[in-house]
Amino acid sequence: MRKFLVLMAAAVFVFVACADDPQISLDNSSAEFTHKGGSCDLVVTSNCDWDLICDSDDSDLVYMSQTKGPGGTQTIHIDILENESTSILHHYFTAVAHGVKRDALTTFSVTQGAPAYVIFGKTAFTTDYMGGTYEFNISANVPWELSYEGEDITIEIVEDEEDADGEDEDEDSVNTTIAVTIEDWEGGTDRKFEIRALADSDEGPISDKLTITQTAPALIIGNRTYSIKKMPDGRWWMTQNLCYTTKGIEIGDGVCKIWYPCSDTALEWDSTTEGIIGKGLLYGDAVAFNTNITTTTARRLEYAQGLCPDGWHIPTLDEFLGLVGKCTNAQVETKTDAPFYDASKGHGSLSMLEEGGFNPAMSGYVRGSGKNFENNGSVTGYLASRGYVTTSYIFSSSAYSQAMWYALILNKVTNTADVGYMANSTSSSPFAGSVRCIKDK
């Protein structure tokens, strides 16, 4: 009986103590694991009922053998699974003893490391033939170095978080920005650059890769892709004749608007698909420059975009002279240093233009109403966005003003490539020719 009374008194004491003064303690306050995880035992001592609550960066990695218990001393087994993320993880455990009037608590924390890593912010990137400088991010928690090949690529480290503000943004990693410069590409196919970030870890070498694809030179107009080339004058030119039709204008519609190219063998139109794609179409000035032509507007069309896409324009007189050097207008100075100027003949050279990759197409040109045209496979004319106004008696017994256009005239018979001039739609002998676009500076 006395023993029973003693036990009852002890129980009452514990209940009163728990109600008035709940207490709980753990035998440890913290632990550190590698990214592989691990196990530990945690001893809980409390004078009343308790709960063990986990607040984790990734609760799926945490297992506890027990999450609640009565007063007394008990051992809790905790397992932490492997961390496969790129962040250091924190697992917080709070032990709470529940009193009647208040709770008591204490904490235990586990810091779990991240595996060694080096990671590009993106693994693939595409740029066009013009290249440029582009920035990419690398995140890593170990020292790394870059590996890449190619003469047309350079890389500089722009900034990392530690350089920027004096300390890392977080304890997990350092983010570094690299600037990658890709030079112009003049090849006929796409090319690739592979940049690798290499590092060592306790488990062996690790790496990540960024692949940069540089597309081959090309220009899209309408639904067709045209080849382009950087010529010896340092400028990007189309190397195919334009064969684009604008909405509402049919081929052969009206006076010198759009015409088929001329045949190579006879004075007739070449309306075959092969002929149109190979030699392009012939454009009157109003269509080519996409504006109504008058003697006033003609003065303002130099560098006109016309039918060319954004960032490109119809070549000027000076830009054509930058290739062939010679103009048949004696008042225009010859550029003897032009890459396709033949000093021995005093003319621009068609064969040199061909060898240089301009890829001229002998598509002819149109004079007058369109019923009269010139070519027979030997002559062609490329419109230039340089007009001038002159007073002429050529087509009338009395003087009148007309706008004239310069054009690059190619002649197979004489092997010449000179800039000359043609009448336009403000005269009685309008002109339609081929169109090439040149990239804006």
Side-chain angles (χ1 to χ4, degrees):
M1 184 66 177
R2 179 179 295 178
K3 183 177 180 180
F4 174 75
L5 292 173
V6 170
L7 291 174
M8 285 293 293
V12 171
F13 174 78
V14 169
F15 174 78
V16 172
C18 181
D20 294 338
D21 186 23
Q23 296 181 12
I24 190 168
S25 64
L26 303 174
D27 68 332
N28 204 346
S29 61
S30 64
E32 292 186 2
F33 291 162
T34 69
H35 74 281
K36 290 291 189 181
S39 301
C40 66
D41 289 331
L42 188 64
V43 178
V44 180
T45 302
S46 178
N47 63 350
C48 52
D49 293 348
W50 54 267
D51 288 321
L52 186 61
I53 303 168
C54 178
D55 180 13
S56 171
D57 291 340
D58 190 343
S59 58
D60 292 338
L61 303 182
V62 180
Y63 170 77
M64 298 180 290
S65 64
Q66 188 175 341
T67 59
K68 60 178 58 183
T73 299
Q74 297 175 60
T75 299
I76 312 301
H77 185 74
I78 298 175
D79 288 320
I80 307 293
L81 302 181
E82 182 175 357
N83 174 17
E84 296 180 352
S85 74
T86 59
S87 299
I88 294 174
L89 300 182
H90 301 279
H91 312 287
Y92 300 101
F93 301 85
T94 302
V96 183
H98 302 292
V100 174
K101 295 183 179 181
R102 67 182 182 86
D103 293 338
L105 57 85
T106 187
T107 61
F108 171 71
S109 64
V110 175
T111 301
Q112 183 177 12
Y117 67 86
V118 55
I119 299 174
F120 280 101
K122 60 176 60 180
T123 58
F125 180 76
T126 299
T127 182
D128 64 17
Y129 65 96
M130 291 295 293
T133 298
Y134 312 96
E135 293 188 351
F136 303 96
N137 183 71
I138 300 175
S139 296
N141 61 358
V142 290
W144 51 268
E145 61 182 17
L146 293 177
S147 173
Y148 59 94
E149 294 182 358
E151 296 181 355
D152 293 336
I153 178 173
T154 56
I155 301 178
E156 294 182 353
I157 294 179
V158 177
E159 182 179 73
D160 62 40
E161 291 168 355
E162 187 170 11
D163 291 336
D165 55 24
E167 58 182 17
D168 292 346
E169 186 178 77
D170 56 51
E171 59 182 316
D172 301 42
S173 66
V174 173
N175 293 319
T176 303
T177 300
I178 62 172
V180 180
T181 300
I182 305 293
E183 301 298 329
D184 289 356
W185 174 228
E186 301 178 34
T189 58
D190 296 353
R191 63 174 176 176
K192 295 182 182 294
F193 298 92
E194 290 188 351
I195 306 172
R196 292 183 179 273
L198 310 174
D200 291 323
S201 73
D202 293 339
E203 299 175 10
I206 58 174
S207 65
D208 198 22
K209 180 177 70 173
L210 165 64
T211 301
I212 299 178
T213 301
Q214 187 173 27
T215 56
L219 183 64
I220 298 175
I221 305 176
N223 59 357
R224 177 166 168 73
T225 300
Y226 296 84
S227 61
I228 58 177
K229 181 178 176 62
K230 193 173 186 179
M231 303 302 290
D233 63 347
R235 304 291 300 280
W236 285 95
W237 291 76
M238 284 175 59
T239 55
Q240 291 175 278
N241 289 0
L242 186 66
C243 57
Y244 172 73
T245 56
T246 59
K247 186 176 180 180
I249 299 180
E250 300 294 332
I251 299 176
D253 182 17
V255 178
C256 276
K257 289 192 174 180
I258 302 178
W259 298 100
Y260 290 114
C262 296
S263 169
D264 290 339
T265 57
L267 292 178
E268 60 185 15
W269 306 123
D270 184 352
S271 60
T272 65
T273 300
E274 181 181 1
I276 295 171
I277 293 176
K279 292 181 287 187
L281 296 169
L282 303 177
Y283 298 88
D285 49 10
V287 175
F289 298 123
N290 196 27
T291 188
N292 183 42
I293 301 298
T294 68
T295 54
T296 300
T297 59
R299 299 176 188 272
R300 301 195 298 262
L301 288 176
E302 196 161 25
Y303 297 99
Q305 178 179 344
L307 293 179
C308 299
D310 291 345
W312 294 71
H313 63 271
I314 295 176
T316 67
L317 166 64
D318 286 340
E319 287 167 337
F320 272 134
L321 290 178
L323 291 180
V324 300
K326 176 71 174 180
C327 181
T328 56
N329 182 347
Q331 297 179 358
V332 177
E333 183 179 356
T334 299
K335 294 185 177 182
T336 58
D337 58 348
F340 305 125
Y341 176 74
D342 186 347
S344 65
K345 295 183 178 180
H347 289 279
S349 168
L350 174 59
S351 59
M352 292 171 67
L353 199 65
E354 291 172 332
E355 293 168 2
F358 188 79
N359 191 32
M362 308 306 290
S363 52
Y365 57 85
V366 177
R367 281 186 187 272
S369 66
K371 295 180 180 179
N372 302 310
F373 52 87
E374 302 180 15
N375 179 27
N376 201 19
S378 62
V379 180
T380 194
Y382 288 96
L383 277 169
S385 60
R386 172 70 177 270
Y388 63 96
V389 176
T390 182
T391 300
S392 175
Y393 289 88
I394 298 177
F395 307 110
S396 174
S397 59
S398 59
Y400 64 92
S401 293
Q402 65 170 343
M404 304 284 284
W405 294 109
Y406 284 105
L408 175 62
I409 308 298
L410 310 180
N411 191 317
K412 273 191 173 182
V413 176
T414 60
N415 189 33
T416 55
D418 295 334
V419 180
Y421 56 87
M422 295 290 179
N424 82 332
S425 54
T426 65
S427 76
S428 60
S429 182
F431 170 74
S434 300
V435 170
R436 291 282 178 97
C437 299
I438 183 173
K439 188 172 178 61
D440 299 347
K441 285 186 176 180

